[in-house]
Amino acid sequence: MSSQPPSHVELLQGTLDVLILRTLLAGARHGHAIAKHIQRTSEELLQVETGSLYPALHRLEAQGWIAASWQLSDKGKRARYYRLTPRGRKQLATEQSKWEAFSRAMGLILRPADQEAQ
């Protein structure tokens, strides 16, 4: 069995929404910048495909968690920029709590304190 980390990690159902919300906490970004931020911040382990990103952005916008507007990008092209709404901030806090609890539970199961499987 190899101890090499995987080159990419598959996103679990529902994780993309919280990743997008967390990315937008720092300010408005266009779709490509959101995907790149997630990739860089995850040390290249997570890659968000266009076919997943834009449906998620539209879904979050429909839920009122993000808002979008057309602006000029750094390169002078029109791009749709997304920003977090107050409802999105609340949702992010809720989702972050859930993920922290889930992560803790998984850690307890996968790495028990007494190392019973030694």
Side-chain angles (χ1 to χ4, degrees), residues 24-96:
L24 294 176
L25 189 59
R29 296 176 192 248
H30 56 79
H32 182 71
I34 292 169
K36 283 310 219 184
H37 179 266
I38 292 168
Q39 185 176 341
R40 274 193 312 272
T41 306
S42 71
E43 298 178 351
E44 310 296 320
L45 289 171
L46 300 177
Q47 287 194 336
V48 181
E49 303 299 327
T50 303
S52 300
L53 179 64
Y54 289 97
L57 289 169
H58 295 156
R59 183 176 60 252
L60 294 174
E61 189 177 8
Q63 290 169 321
W65 297 345
I66 64 173
S69 61
W70 289 100
Q71 298 176 27
L72 286 181
S73 73
D74 296 340
K75 297 179 179 166
K77 293 185 177 182
R78 270 177 40 103
R80 199 151 161 86
Y81 277 73
Y82 299 88
R83 64 174 176 77
L84 201 56
T85 65
R87 283 179 61 195
R89 284 180 190 276
K90 280 187 187 176
Q91 187 62 28
L92 174 59
T94 299
E95 293 300 321
Q96 196 163 338

